[in-house]
Amino acid sequence: MTQRLTPRTVFLLTLPPLLWAGNSIVGRLVHAQLPPVLLNFLRWALAAAILLPLAGPVFGRAAGMWRYWKQYALLGLLGIGLYNTLQYMALQTSTPINVTLVASGMPVWMMLTGWLFFGVPVGRRQVAGAVLSIAGVLLVLARGEWEHLLALRLVAGDLFMILATIAWSLYSWLLTRAREPAALRADWAGFLLAQVAFGVLWSGGFALGEQALGAMPVQWSWTLAAALAYVAVGPGVIAFRCWGEGVQAAGPSVGAFFVNLTPLFTAVLSAAFLGEAPHGYHVAAFALIVGGIVVSARR
């Protein structure tokens, strides 16, 4: 259900992209200090510790969460275990600008996911918009040189981010399929903690596998501690809380437009903190992605 945008809803949908842009910057800054899968596990373990005093009763019998544990286990896997792990893995070899631009194709993946798995019809305008947006993503993958695609020259991080975007698309559609009591969703902290708890279990299992494969040792420092605090509180608790309320107010289709603010914020932050100025193909790719989304959304 889509409602008219209000200043409050615009704020709720704008703040998460800014925080997510910061998440990409921080993930890149600390990529040599700890393994990406362990970073995701520590991030969400800390977020769970923050949420627990606010929503501990969600685990009680009276809350009814356990009746729907499979739903929350799947949400935790897709939105927390897979999406964030794949994003941090992407930042090992790709820049924050590239990662967020590839993620800007998310509305297209949402459209395809809705059509394939949830029976949502797709019109001709949406197909045309999808072609434009996918062209933008391919431009990023090609680094502005189309012959790179012909030579299959792809950075692993870009591929990880595509998989992450697909996982988030499935997560977003599942969020619209509410089965639990309305009171449980109305409690934002409880609803988020129920997902995070399962996400921590998934992430912990992935982190154990990463360590078994011989991950690099952690280089602890106050900088790393500050980074963990930021990704847990900002892109974790605050962004998820604002995004959930904003999407409920405006609808997922409108909310998808705001995802594309992330590359703009990332470009500014990358230039400020990483010295990675955007290139011309980044601008062209962003224009294609946004143009595709606008065409897709027209009726």
Side-chain angles (χ1 to χ4, degrees), residues 207-228:
L208 288 175
E210 180 184 54
Q211 294 298 313
L213 292 174
M216 64 180 178
V218 179
Q219 301 177 23
W220 291 106
S221 66
W222 287 111
T223 301
L224 180 56
L228 286 172

PDB file of all heavy atoms in Angstrom, residues 207-228:
ATOM      1  N   ALA A 207      30.954 -17.281   9.556  1.00  0.00           N
ATOM      2  CA  ALA A 207      32.252 -16.838  10.067  1.00  0.00           C
ATOM      3  C   ALA A 207      33.123 -18.018  10.480  1.00  0.00           C
ATOM      4  O   ALA A 207      34.343 -18.008  10.273  1.00  0.00           O
ATOM      5  CB  ALA A 207      32.059 -15.878  11.248  1.00  0.00           C
ATOM      6  N   LEU A 208      32.510 -19.043  11.066  1.00  0.00           N
ATOM      7  CA  LEU A 208      33.264 -20.244  11.417  1.00  0.00           C
ATOM      8  C   LEU A 208      33.829 -20.914  10.164  1.00  0.00           C
ATOM      9  O   LEU A 208      34.975 -21.389  10.155  1.00  0.00           O
ATOM     10  CB  LEU A 208      32.378 -21.226  12.182  1.00  0.00           C
ATOM     11  CG  LEU A 208      32.018 -20.833  13.624  1.00  0.00           C
ATOM     12  CD1 LEU A 208      31.027 -21.830  14.213  1.00  0.00           C
ATOM     13  CD2 LEU A 208      33.273 -20.749  14.483  1.00  0.00           C
ATOM     14  N   GLY A 209      33.022 -20.952   9.118  1.00  0.00           N
ATOM     15  CA  GLY A 209      33.507 -21.515   7.860  1.00  0.00           C
ATOM     16  C   GLY A 209      34.652 -20.698   7.289  1.00  0.00           C
ATOM     17  O   GLY A 209      35.623 -21.255   6.754  1.00  0.00           O
ATOM     18  N   GLU A 210      34.545 -19.371   7.406  1.00  0.00           N
ATOM     19  CA  GLU A 210      35.615 -18.497   6.923  1.00  0.00           C
ATOM     20  C   GLU A 210      36.914 -18.755   7.673  1.00  0.00           C
ATOM     21  O   GLU A 210      37.997 -18.827   7.065  1.00  0.00           O
ATOM     22  CB  GLU A 210      35.186 -17.041   7.086  1.00  0.00           C
ATOM     23  CG  GLU A 210      36.206 -16.013   6.617  1.00  0.00           C
ATOM     24  CD  GLU A 210      35.758 -14.600   6.900  1.00  0.00           C
ATOM     25  OE1 GLU A 210      35.428 -14.307   8.081  1.00  0.00           O
ATOM     26  OE2 GLU A 210      35.735 -13.775   5.969  1.00  0.00           O
ATOM     27  N   GLN A 211      36.827 -18.909   8.987  1.00  0.00           N
ATOM     28  CA  GLN A 211      38.016 -19.173   9.782  1.00  0.00           C
ATOM     29  C   GLN A 211      38.619 -20.539   9.433  1.00  0.00           C
ATOM     30  O   GLN A 211      39.834 -20.706   9.387  1.00  0.00           O
ATOM     31  CB  GLN A 211      37.674 -19.108  11.274  1.00  0.00           C
ATOM     32  CG  GLN A 211      37.277 -17.729  11.768  1.00  0.00           C
ATOM     33  CD  GLN A 211      38.378 -16.701  11.614  1.00  0.00           C
ATOM     34  OE1 GLN A 211      39.524 -16.953  11.972  1.00  0.00           O
ATOM     35  NE2 GLN A 211      38.031 -15.547  11.061  1.00  0.00           N
ATOM     36  N   ALA A 212      37.761 -21.514   9.186  1.00  0.00           N
ATOM     37  CA  ALA A 212      38.250 -22.850   8.842  1.00  0.00           C
ATOM     38  C   ALA A 212      39.000 -22.851   7.518  1.00  0.00           C
ATOM     39  O   ALA A 212      39.886 -23.681   7.299  1.00  0.00           O
ATOM     40  CB  ALA A 212      37.075 -23.829   8.780  1.00  0.00           C
ATOM     41  N   LEU A 213      38.656 -21.906   6.648  1.00  0.00           N
ATOM     42  CA  LEU A 213      39.320 -21.824   5.349  1.00  0.00           C
ATOM     43  C   LEU A 213      40.616 -21.019   5.417  1.00  0.00           C
ATOM     44  O   LEU A 213      41.278 -20.826   4.385  1.00  0.00           O
ATOM     45  CB  LEU A 213      38.368 -21.198   4.318  1.00  0.00           C
ATOM     46  CG  LEU A 213      37.146 -22.053   3.944  1.00  0.00           C
ATOM     47  CD1 LEU A 213      36.209 -21.271   3.032  1.00  0.00           C
ATOM     48  CD2 LEU A 213      37.587 -23.347   3.264  1.00  0.00           C
ATOM     49  N   GLY A 214      40.974 -20.538   6.621  1.00  0.00           N
ATOM     50  CA  GLY A 214      42.243 -19.829   6.771  1.00  0.00           C
ATOM     51  C   GLY A 214      42.141 -18.337   6.559  1.00  0.00           C
ATOM     52  O   GLY A 214      42.914 -17.768   5.778  1.00  0.00           O
ATOM     53  N   ALA A 215      41.205 -17.662   7.233  1.00  0.00           N
ATOM     54  CA  ALA A 215      41.044 -16.222   7.103  1.00  0.00           C
ATOM     55  C   ALA A 215      42.218 -15.494   7.762  1.00  0.00           C
ATOM     56  O   ALA A 215      42.895 -16.027   8.638  1.00  0.00           O
ATOM     57  CB  ALA A 215      39.732 -15.779   7.745  1.00  0.00           C
ATOM     58  N   MET A 216      42.422 -14.254   7.343  1.00  0.00           N
ATOM     59  CA  MET A 216      43.509 -13.464   7.906  1.00  0.00           C
ATOM     60  C   MET A 216      43.219 -13.135   9.366  1.00  0.00           C
ATOM     61  O   MET A 216      42.056 -13.060   9.787  1.00  0.00           O
ATOM     62  CB  MET A 216      43.662 -12.163   7.112  1.00  0.00           C
ATOM     63  CG  MET A 216      42.456 -11.236   7.196  1.00  0.00           C
ATOM     64  SD  MET A 216      42.689  -9.730   6.238  1.00  0.00           S
ATOM     65  CE  MET A 216      41.109  -8.895   6.495  1.00  0.00           C
ATOM     66  N   PRO A 217      44.257 -12.929  10.168  1.00  0.00           N
ATOM     67  CA  PRO A 217      44.036 -12.585  11.578  1.00  0.00           C
ATOM     68  C   PRO A 217      43.480 -11.172  11.737  1.00  0.00           C
ATOM     69  O   PRO A 217      43.707 -10.304  10.892  1.00  0.00           O
ATOM     70  CB  PRO A 217      45.441 -12.704  12.185  1.00  0.00           C
ATOM     71  CG  PRO A 217      46.362 -12.466  11.033  1.00  0.00           C
ATOM     72  CD  PRO A 217      45.682 -13.055   9.835  1.00  0.00           C
ATOM     73  N   VAL A 218      42.773 -10.957  12.826  1.00  0.00           N
ATOM     74  CA  VAL A 218      42.188  -9.647  13.105  1.00  0.00           C
ATOM     75  C   VAL A 218      43.260  -8.722  13.662  1.00  0.00           C
ATOM     76  O   VAL A 218      44.054  -9.108  14.527  1.00  0.00           O
ATOM     77  CB  VAL A 218      41.024  -9.767  14.108  1.00  0.00           C
ATOM     78  CG1 VAL A 218      40.433  -8.392  14.400  1.00  0.00           C
ATOM     79  CG2 VAL A 218      39.969 -10.712  13.567  1.00  0.00           C
ATOM     80  N   GLN A 219      43.306  -7.503  13.163  1.00  0.00           N
ATOM     81  CA  GLN A 219      44.234  -6.493  13.643  1.00  0.00           C
ATOM     82  C   GLN A 219      43.447  -5.480  14.477  1.00  0.00           C
ATOM     83  O   GLN A 219      42.956  -4.481  13.968  1.00  0.00           O
ATOM     84  CB  GLN A 219      44.939  -5.806  12.478  1.00  0.00           C
ATOM     85  CG  GLN A 219      45.722  -6.759  11.593  1.00  0.00           C
ATOM     86  CD  GLN A 219      46.359  -6.066  10.404  1.00  0.00           C
ATOM     87  OE1 GLN A 219      46.595  -4.859  10.419  1.00  0.00           O
ATOM     88  NE2 GLN A 219      46.644  -6.829   9.363  1.00  0.00           N
ATOM     89  N   TRP A 220      43.317  -5.777  15.771  1.00  0.00           N
ATOM     90  CA  TRP A 220      42.494  -4.941  16.635  1.00  0.00           C
ATOM     91  C   TRP A 220      43.124  -3.571  16.853  1.00  0.00           C
ATOM     92  O   TRP A 220      44.343  -3.436  16.975  1.00  0.00           O
ATOM     93  CB  TRP A 220      42.284  -5.619  17.984  1.00  0.00           C
ATOM     94  CG  TRP A 220      41.421  -6.842  17.908  1.00  0.00           C
ATOM     95  CD1 TRP A 220      41.816  -8.143  18.002  1.00  0.00           C
ATOM     96  CD2 TRP A 220      40.007  -6.871  17.688  1.00  0.00           C
ATOM     97  NE1 TRP A 220      40.742  -8.988  17.861  1.00  0.00           N
ATOM     98  CE2 TRP A 220      39.613  -8.236  17.670  1.00  0.00           C
ATOM     99  CE3 TRP A 220      39.031  -5.884  17.499  1.00  0.00           C
ATOM    100  CZ2 TRP A 220      38.296  -8.630  17.474  1.00  0.00           C
ATOM    101  CZ3 TRP A 220      37.715  -6.285  17.311  1.00  0.00           C
ATOM    102  CH2 TRP A 220      37.353  -7.635  17.300  1.00  0.00           C
ATOM    103  N   SER A 221      42.273  -2.555  16.897  1.00  0.00           N
ATOM    104  CA  SER A 221      42.696  -1.179  17.155  1.00  0.00           C
ATOM    105  C   SER A 221      41.465  -0.382  17.562  1.00  0.00           C
ATOM    106  O   SER A 221      40.325  -0.840  17.409  1.00  0.00           O
ATOM    107  CB  SER A 221      43.337  -0.554  15.910  1.00  0.00           C
ATOM    108  OG  SER A 221      42.370  -0.399  14.877  1.00  0.00           O
ATOM    109  N   TRP A 222      41.693   0.823  18.079  1.00  0.00           N
ATOM    110  CA  TRP A 222      40.561   1.683  18.428  1.00  0.00           C
ATOM    111  C   TRP A 222      39.793   2.103  17.174  1.00  0.00           C
ATOM    112  O   TRP A 222      38.580   2.306  17.216  1.00  0.00           O
ATOM    113  CB  TRP A 222      41.045   2.910  19.200  1.00  0.00           C
ATOM    114  CG  TRP A 222      41.465   2.604  20.594  1.00  0.00           C
ATOM    115  CD1 TRP A 222      42.723   2.629  21.128  1.00  0.00           C
ATOM    116  CD2 TRP A 222      40.587   2.201  21.669  1.00  0.00           C
ATOM    117  NE1 TRP A 222      42.706   2.274  22.446  1.00  0.00           N
ATOM    118  CE2 TRP A 222      41.408   2.008  22.821  1.00  0.00           C
ATOM    119  CE3 TRP A 222      39.216   1.976  21.779  1.00  0.00           C
ATOM    120  CZ2 TRP A 222      40.888   1.614  24.040  1.00  0.00           C
ATOM    121  CZ3 TRP A 222      38.697   1.586  22.999  1.00  0.00           C
ATOM    122  CH2 TRP A 222      39.519   1.402  24.111  1.00  0.00           C
ATOM    123  N   THR A 223      40.500   2.231  16.068  1.00  0.00           N
ATOM    124  CA  THR A 223      39.833   2.560  14.802  1.00  0.00           C
ATOM    125  C   THR A 223      38.865   1.460  14.398  1.00  0.00           C
ATOM    126  O   THR A 223      37.729   1.728  13.987  1.00  0.00           O
ATOM    127  CB  THR A 223      40.872   2.775  13.694  1.00  0.00           C
ATOM    128  OG1 THR A 223      41.755   3.845  14.065  1.00  0.00           O
ATOM    129  CG2 THR A 223      40.194   3.109  12.377  1.00  0.00           C
ATOM    130  N   LEU A 224      39.308   0.214  14.548  1.00  0.00           N
ATOM    131  CA  LEU A 224      38.439  -0.908  14.209  1.00  0.00           C
ATOM    132  C   LEU A 224      37.249  -0.975  15.159  1.00  0.00           C
ATOM    133  O   LEU A 224      36.117  -1.247  14.726  1.00  0.00           O
ATOM    134  CB  LEU A 224      39.235  -2.212  14.272  1.00  0.00           C
ATOM    135  CG  LEU A 224      38.458  -3.497  13.938  1.00  0.00           C
ATOM    136  CD1 LEU A 224      37.815  -3.410  12.571  1.00  0.00           C
ATOM    137  CD2 LEU A 224      39.383  -4.715  14.019  1.00  0.00           C
ATOM    138  N   ALA A 225      37.478  -0.712  16.439  1.00  0.00           N
ATOM    139  CA  ALA A 225      36.376  -0.713  17.409  1.00  0.00           C
ATOM    140  C   ALA A 225      35.348   0.353  17.060  1.00  0.00           C
ATOM    141  O   ALA A 225      34.128   0.118  17.131  1.00  0.00           O
ATOM    142  CB  ALA A 225      36.920  -0.501  18.818  1.00  0.00           C
ATOM    143  N   ALA A 226      35.815   1.544  16.674  1.00  0.00           N
ATOM    144  CA  ALA A 226      34.897   2.616  16.278  1.00  0.00           C
ATOM    145  C   ALA A 226      34.127   2.237  15.021  1.00  0.00           C
ATOM    146  O   ALA A 226      32.931   2.541  14.894  1.00  0.00           O
ATOM    147  CB  ALA A 226      35.676   3.908  16.059  1.00  0.00           C
ATOM    148  N   ALA A 227      34.811   1.572  14.091  1.00  0.00           N
ATOM    149  CA  ALA A 227      34.141   1.138  12.866  1.00  0.00           C
ATOM    150  C   ALA A 227      33.037   0.135  13.173  1.00  0.00           C
ATOM    151  O   ALA A 227      31.931   0.216  12.615  1.00  0.00           O
ATOM    152  CB  ALA A 227      35.165   0.523  11.907  1.00  0.00           C
ATOM    153  N   LEU A 228      33.306  -0.818  14.052  1.00  0.00           N
ATOM    154  CA  LEU A 228      32.290  -1.800  14.433  1.00  0.00           C
ATOM    155  C   LEU A 228      31.095  -1.129  15.100  1.00  0.00           C
ATOM    156  O   LEU A 228      29.940  -1.484  14.852  1.00  0.00           O
ATOM    157  CB  LEU A 228      32.900  -2.844  15.364  1.00  0.00           C
ATOM    158  CG  LEU A 228      33.832  -3.867  14.710  1.00  0.00           C
ATOM    159  CD1 LEU A 228      34.524  -4.717  15.782  1.00  0.00           C
ATOM    160  CD2 LEU A 228      33.056  -4.764  13.748  1.00  0.00           C
TER     161      LEU A 228
END
